[in-house]
Amino acid sequence: MFEYLRDPTLRGHVHTIGHFFAANLREGYQIGTASYLPSDLHNFMKIRAEVSSDKIFWAKTTAMDEDGNFCIPQCQNV
């Protein structure tokens, strides 16, 4: 459970777009700190890029290897 999703004072400052409508996202949706974007796992990042002009993109990656490279899941490549 992410506290910021339940904080109505953050409405208009922080907004989360979720692809799974879990309990914490539903609560944020009700107070305006989150929205739900239905999509399929194989194309959710493509759809998100089309509907959102995010200034910050946060991706989960592997740890960096000895050369400073990391891997990002294919589904997060836009």
Side-chain angles (χ1 to χ4, degrees):
M1 201 61 169
F2 298 106
E3 290 291 327
Y4 77 90
L5 285 174
R6 298 191 318 257
D7 185 350
T9 65
L10 294 178
R11 184 179 36 237
H13 301 285
V14 174
H15 189 84
T16 298
I17 300 173
H19 300 275
F20 301 100
F21 212 39
N24 61 342
L25 194 69
R26 288 192 303 268
E27 193 170 338
Y29 178 80
Q30 292 174 357
I31 62 172
T33 58
S35 60
Y36 172 63
L37 178 63
S39 56
D40 295 324
L41 286 177
H42 75 281
N43 66 355
F44 80 96
M45 289 310 296
K46 179 182 178 299
I47 292 171
R48 181 164 179 158
E50 291 171 356
V51 301
S52 178
S53 59
D54 294 336
K55 295 180 178 67
I56 298 173
F57 174 77
W58 190 321
K60 186 172 184 176
T61 67
T62 62
M64 285 192 177
D65 64 19
E66 60 275 356
D67 297 318
N69 299 311
F70 60 86
C71 294
I72 186 169
Q74 183 64 30
C75 66
Q76 291 185 343
N77 292 330
V78 179

